[in-house]
Amino acid sequence: MSDLQARVLDWLTSREGEMADLLRDLVNADGGTYDKEGVDRAGAVLTGFWAAHGIPFRVTPVETLGDILRADLAGPGDDPRPILLLGHRDTVFPKGEAQRRPFRVEDGRAYGPGVADMKGGLAMEAFVMAAFAACGAPVPLAMLVTSDEEIASPACGPAISEAAKGARAVFNAEPSRRADGTAAGNARTQVVTKGRKGGVFLRMEATGKAAHSGARYQDGRSAILDLAQKVAPLHALTDLDAGITVNVGLIGGGQTVNTVAPSAWAEIDLRYVEPAQRDAVVARIREIAETPLVDGVTARLQIKGEFRPLVQTDAARDLLDVWTAAAARFGVDVSAGFTGGCADSGLTAAAGCPTLCSVGPVGGHAHTPDEFLEMESLLTGAKTLAVSILTLAARTPARAA
Ligand SMILES: [Zn+2]
């Protein structure tokens, strides 16, 4: 074991309690995606931590959502490309959730809004940054903390792609899972994510013509009638064997019960596996959505948000091997799974950067009040990340200046 590795692991091990404190402060800061104040409060917890550990950072303001935060550590050599540690600090919960359900630990498990998804991953990454700040980073390291992952990163997406283009590898600290589901016990198994579906969130809006449905029915053009007939053909685009699903998840419209509906809308979620599948299905959705079925009704389709699929490349497979070997040092058995859930790792993979996702501490029941994090995996995860970084650094010797 190298001297640097021993120092970094010691540094982390002696700060397990402080990691739990940082996690507590991040959870209790609250921060549903649309609660800019709460998301920025969680951001201030992180920037305060970075400042206290002498880590340079910058804040990029975002007007309506939380700001974008990035910390950087310089490394030796003349290759400026960092290993990028990625995370988001927004949660899916309503404002005030952390006051109603503050951070608590019971039987080795932590609870609270966003404790696993993904404030645990942020605490882990922040401590790895601090460990290398104290002991010396073997390669440049960057930590990018975004604010809108739970709504498909409309504001932070470009910054994520940009950061990934300039990075040598990405670790995204979404929560990992236990191999045996969510049963209580130790956290010595870990399922990371090797592949994710791509997702496109679309909105269809139909415009017709209002008329009194009793007196002037024949003058009306019902947007609801038009839109409703499109739901079945949209769902019929689903091809489960090919991994393509189309779901109309929200629908609305109309004015009053006695008015022929002048407007209607629906929101559609498309998921797919292969990048090549995307354009053809989006084109079919557009064709169905925008072809009038009621004379006099017009409809248009808009893409509201999008995640790229996480596709496993050879370089990403190699990253998984590095992680697996590092975790084994701490008695953790790693396996890799595929999920239809989307994340920012799709953006970094699409930018061409080798990406490993769900390397955060082990947790479960994300997006529900039962969300939990195995506290033991906070330190183990940080050590695994540190060793993975050192392994990658040892392989890319600093070029002569
Ligand atoms: Zn997440």
Side-chain angles (χ1 to χ4, degrees), residues 293-326:
L293 294 178
V294 171
D295 206 26
V297 172
T298 55
R300 63 189 194 103
L301 184 81
Q302 245 185 306
I303 293 177
K304 302 290 286 180
E306 177 152 12
F307 283 110
R308 299 288 168 174
L310 174 61
V311 181
Q312 196 181 33
T313 59
D314 287 345
R317 205 166 288 121
D318 177 58
L319 213 49
L320 172 61
D321 290 343
V322 167
W323 182 271
T324 303

Side-chain angles (χ1 to χ4, degrees), residues 63 69 73-74 84 86 128 162-163 165 182 184 209 211 215 240 242 244 256 258 369 392-393 401:
E63 203 175 329
L69 316 176
L73 285 178
L84 180 66
L86 181 64
V128 168
E162 194 58 36
K165 277 179 197 146
T182 55
K209 186 167 177 270
L240 290 175
I244 296 171
T256 62
N258 57 348
L392 292 173

